[in-house]
């Protein structure tokens, strides 16, 4: 291993927590706004100083015989061509260049180094358990605020927990709910009766906290992801559970979220129209975008003129198009579809239950984040905590189909976990 101790996972978690803290209503949160990249580059320096082993550094050329590597190389080349030849402000402007460099380092850390570390060293389920516990605490604090009547912000009309906006809390709870149910099934044969009840109740609390955020994007994404997870877990038995699931979704989910009305959707549609108008300015901008940082800045400026003050178009795929153009988006969607289809195929093909469950969790979480991307942009914006998480799961997805990282090694390294 190039990175030789667990400092890497500790610092990575601290960085994600800082990105969460900066959108909280807690003291000094505002001081972190606009300083995310400086913090991240500082963390990268700490990681290099404390964990990097030059003796074991082994650089290899990318294997272009693998289709997923071809997709990744294509995305890199398209983004580079867009930046160098059409959006030079991303290189010339110091702040833009810092944003770009820190994002490249983020992809290296969360997409390559961290997945290899947790895949091979037995830290995967430990990490999942940390995510689950964090979700439990987030839900408990959210319930406390919601039912105590204390409203630190106007948005506390819904469940907000420590994050100042319910949509941000919803993203956390959707991820942690899925992590909790996965951990419960992954450790079912080893957990004590008390722990079984704890994780089951923890999942229920997180799920109902998710409902109280009233974030329809988060709720629908979680329901669909859980449906996929349980469908693959129970296989043929799901036929028996299917009518119960449909009735439950109808009564407890669809009726619940439809009460909120259509105002939120109309508001998002207006933002999409602003972004589409920008992309239609010329053939060049439609094909190559406006740049990694400039694309979002331009959107914010135009959204202010035509609709409202917002940070992003509330659609990750439109955000990507604004950054790098329609060709990049098309290749990205093809890459994601390729990963998901291959995951489903491997899961059906594999006989080992724990491996099936692992693939199921990776696939369901990827699907959850991608569905969030239809109505939110954070999965592709460097200043939000969802982007490094998304990159990490992309890295895990890429690794689990690499011949050098066989599932047997994963099972062996994760056999004696908490």
């Amino acid at each position: 291993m190039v990175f030789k101790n667990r400092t890497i996972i500790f610092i990575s978690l601290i960085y994600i927590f800082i990105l969460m803290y900066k959108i909280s209503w807690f003291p000094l949160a505002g001081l972190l706004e606009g300083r995310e990249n400086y913090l991240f580059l500082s963390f990268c320096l700490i990681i290099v100083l404390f964990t990097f082993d030059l003796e074991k550094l082994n650089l290899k050329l990318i294997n272009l015989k693998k289709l997923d590597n071809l997709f990744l190389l294509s995305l890199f080349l398209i983004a580079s061509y867009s930046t160098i030849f059409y959006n030079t402000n991303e290189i010339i402007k110091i702040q833009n260049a810092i944003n770009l460099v820190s994002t490249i380092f983020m992809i290296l850390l969360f997409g390559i180094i961290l997945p290899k570390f947790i895949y091979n060293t037995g830290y995967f389920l430990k990490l999942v358990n940390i995510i689950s516990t964090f979700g439990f605490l987030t839900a408990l604090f959210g319930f406390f605020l919601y039912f105590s009547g204390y409203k630190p912000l106007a948005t506390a009309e819904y469940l907000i927990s420590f994050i100042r906006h319910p949509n941000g809390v919803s993203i956390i709870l959707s991820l942690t709910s899925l992590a909790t149910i996965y951990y419960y099934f992954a450790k079912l044969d080893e957990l004590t009766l008390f722990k079984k009840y704890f994780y089951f109740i923890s999942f229920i609390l997180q799920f109902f906290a998710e409902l109280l955020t009233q974030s329809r994007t988060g709720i629908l994404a979680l329901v669909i992801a859980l449906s996929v997870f349980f469908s693959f877990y129970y296989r043929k038995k799901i036929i028996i559970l299917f009518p119960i699931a449909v009735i439950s979704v109808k009564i407890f989910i669809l009726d619940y979220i439809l009460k909120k009305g259509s105002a939120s959707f109309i508001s998002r549609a207006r933002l999409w129209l602003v972004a589409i108008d920008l992309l239609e300015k010329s053939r060049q901008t439609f094909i190559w975008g406006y740049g990694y940082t400039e694309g979002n800045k331009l959107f914010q400026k135009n959204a202010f003129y035509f609709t409202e003050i917002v940070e992003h178009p509330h659609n990750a795929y439109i955000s990507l198009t604004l950054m790098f153009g329609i060709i990049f988006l098309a290749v990205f969607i093809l890459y994601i579809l390729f990963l998901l289809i291959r995951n489903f195929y491997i899961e059906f093909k594999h006989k080992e239950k724990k491996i099936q469950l692992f693939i199921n969790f990776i696939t369901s979480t990827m699907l959850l984040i991608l569905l969030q991307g239809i109505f939110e942009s954070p999965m592709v914006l460097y200043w939000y905590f969802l982007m490094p998480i998304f990159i990490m799961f992309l890295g895990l997805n890429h690794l689990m189909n690499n011949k050098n990282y066989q599932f047997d090694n994963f099972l062996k390294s994760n056999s004696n976990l908490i």
Side-chain angles (χ1 to χ4, degrees), residues 209-276:
E210 174 73 52
L211 292 181
L212 289 175
T213 66
Q214 291 196 34
S215 171
R216 287 175 292 186
T217 302
I219 294 169
L220 282 174
L222 178 58
V223 169
I224 293 172
L226 286 172
S227 299
V228 170
F229 181 87
F230 285 119
S231 296
F232 279 96
Y233 183 79
Y234 286 109
R235 304 281 174 120
K236 295 177 181 178
K237 296 177 184 176
I238 199 67
I239 297 173
I240 301 172
L241 299 173
F242 185 73
I244 301 172
V246 171
I247 295 171
S248 299
V249 168
K250 172 67 172 66
I251 295 174
F252 297 107
I253 306 298
L254 292 179
D255 289 349
Y256 179 80
I257 63 176
L258 287 174
K259 289 178 182 178
K260 200 174 177 182
S262 60
S264 179
F265 175 78
I266 293 172
S267 176
R268 278 171 168 75
R270 289 167 63 196
L271 297 176
W272 298 348
L273 289 174
V274 171
I276 291 169

Side-chain angles (χ1 to χ4, degrees), residues 24 38 44 148 174 281 344 353 374 389 391 395 403 416 418:
S24 75
Y38 299 103
C44 285
S148 68
S174 60
K281 293 288 184 184
F344 291 138
K353 266 287 184 184
I374 297 174
I389 295 173
I391 291 171
K403 290 182 180 179
N416 298 310
I418 55 175

Side-chain angles (χ1 to χ4, degrees), residues 60-73:
K60 294 181 180 179
L61 293 175
I62 187 171
N63 181 7
L64 296 180
K65 292 180 180 179
K66 291 176 65 64
L67 188 55
D68 44 355
N69 285 341
L70 278 173
F71 277 119
L72 290 173
L73 180 61

Side-chain angles (χ1 to χ4, degrees), residues 186 189 232-233 235 346-360 407-412:
D189 297 333
F232 279 96
Y233 183 79
R235 304 281 174 120
I346 295 173
E347 188 171 354
F348 273 117
K349 184 180 177 181
H350 216 284
K351 303 299 180 184
E352 172 60 51
K353 266 287 184 184
K354 288 186 178 180
I355 294 301
Q356 289 177 355
L357 191 61
F358 169 68
I359 301 171
N360 191 358
F407 289 123
D408 292 340
N409 294 335
F410 170 77
L411 281 177
K412 183 179 179 181

Side-chain angles (χ1 to χ4, degrees), residues 259-372:
K259 289 178 182 178
K260 200 174 177 182
S262 60
S264 179
F265 175 78
I266 293 172
S267 176
R268 278 171 168 75
R270 289 167 63 196
L271 297 176
W272 298 348
L273 289 174
V274 171
I276 291 169
D277 181 65
L278 283 171
L279 290 168
E280 290 180 339
K281 293 288 184 184
S282 71
R283 187 168 178 266
Q284 175 183 311
T285 55
F286 181 70
I287 295 175
W288 301 112
Y290 287 95
Y292 184 65
T293 299
E294 292 295 318
N296 208 69
K297 283 183 180 178
L298 192 62
F299 170 79
Q300 290 176 10
K301 183 179 178 181
N302 280 265
F304 173 72
Y305 289 149
F306 296 110
T307 56
E308 54 188 308
I309 300 175
V310 289
E311 289 189 318
H312 52 77
H314 286 271
N315 184 297
Y317 310 102
I318 290 177
S319 289
L320 281 177
T321 313
L322 283 169
M323 293 174 188
F324 302 118
I326 195 67
I327 299 175
F328 184 92
L329 177 66
V331 175
F332 175 79
I333 291 174
L334 286 174
Y335 172 54
I336 293 299
L337 288 174
F338 167 74
L339 288 180
L340 292 176
I341 292 169
R342 187 176 61 180
N343 286 0
F344 291 138
Y345 171 75
I346 295 173
E347 188 171 354
F348 273 117
K349 184 180 177 181
H350 216 284
K351 303 299 180 184
E352 172 60 51
K353 266 287 184 184
K354 288 186 178 180
I355 294 301
Q356 289 177 355
L357 191 61
F358 169 68
I359 301 171
N360 191 358
F361 173 59
I362 297 296
T363 305
S364 300
T365 303
M366 285 283 294
L367 190 61
L368 171 74
I369 297 172
L370 292 165
L371 289 169
Q372 291 268 8

